[in-house]
Amino acid sequence: MATHFIIDIETMGAKSAASAITSIACVPIDFDNLQDFDYYMKNGFLAKINWVDQIKNKTHVTESGTVDWWKRQPLDAQNKSIVPHSTDLLLHDALERLNKYVRSFVDYDFKSSWFWSRGIAFDFPKLEYSFDICKVSSPINTFMLRDIRTMVDCFTGSTNGRHLLQTPPANFVK
């Protein structure tokens, strides 16, 4: 069976495919061998990205509603997602690292590895735009996109794509 992946990005905009990306997270999923939260934290991919550089280079944009939304989030979430740090990667470098990370899995296959996100209309258009504008090869096959909300609804009886954990894992930041 192919290795599949769950991807989540944080951005400074919600509507535009050119929204500045502040971070990219990706974890491998083997549905026959699911792991605990700590495993995914240790073995997943995370890149905090210099979104200010994207604005300066006029390749990406911010949206005032999203900027205002971030200002209302807990300081821990802001610090991990939007507050600039000297270790932030340039978007091009983060996408190169993501590409290398995905392709490092022996069971990754461009034609059969699914890529999941919470709604395929948000993360994937922004990633596709960014891979294109940065001229980085994407490991994501658009025919293999999947929406995790559908799976959540099917397995939990939810109708809104959300399943609230009774006890969130340690180090979990909403």
Side-chain angles (χ1 to χ4, degrees):
M1 176 177 233
T3 298
H4 306 292
F5 301 89
I6 297 176
I7 290 186
D8 183 45
I9 66 172
E10 299 301 331
T11 67
M12 294 302 285
K15 296 176 185 167
S16 174
S19 295
I21 297 177
T22 68
S23 66
I24 302 172
C26 180
V27 294
I29 296 293
D30 176 349
F31 290 107
D32 293 328
N33 188 23
L34 296 176
Q35 303 293 325
D36 65 15
F37 183 77
D38 288 335
Y39 171 85
Y40 296 113
M41 291 299 292
K42 289 177 188 168
N43 294 289
F45 172 89
L46 177 62
K48 185 154 177 326
I49 301 167
N50 183 334
W51 63 271
V52 175
D53 182 72
Q54 299 165 53
I55 304 306
K56 286 181 183 176
N57 289 329
K58 299 182 180 177
T59 60
H60 292 73
V61 298
T62 62
E63 295 171 12
S64 60
T66 304
V67 172
D68 291 342
W69 180 86
W70 273 115
K71 289 177 182 176
R72 294 189 306 271
Q73 300 312 301
L75 292 178
D76 191 30
Q78 289 182 40
N79 190 46
K80 289 183 177 184
S81 296
I82 65 165
V83 174
H85 298 282
S86 62
T87 56
D88 290 355
L89 297 172
L90 295 176
L91 180 59
H92 176 275
D93 297 340
L95 294 172
E96 286 280 2
R97 289 182 185 190
L98 175 63
N99 189 14
K100 184 176 180 180
Y101 172 80
V102 168
R103 293 177 190 277
S104 73
F105 287 84
V106 174
D107 292 335
Y108 160 75
D109 179 59
F110 185 79
K111 292 183 179 180
S112 59
S113 290
W114 294 333
F115 283 82
W116 298 80
S117 70
R118 184 173 283 285
I120 63 172
F122 184 85
D123 300 72
F124 294 121
K126 292 164 182 58
L127 284 169
E128 185 175 355
Y129 170 83
S130 293
F131 274 112
D132 186 51
I133 200 85
C134 291
K135 296 180 176 35
V136 173
S137 174
S138 174
I140 303 168
N141 181 342
T142 57
F143 291 105
M144 301 308 290
L145 304 181
R146 302 292 186 266
D147 185 347
I148 204 118
R149 293 179 298 193
T150 302
M151 184 178 277
V152 168
D153 287 348
C154 289
F155 286 106
T156 68
S158 171
T159 58
N160 65 0
R162 296 188 183 278
H163 177 68
L164 300 177
L165 300 172
Q166 297 298 328
T167 307
N171 302 321
F172 184 81
V173 178
K174 184 175 179 184

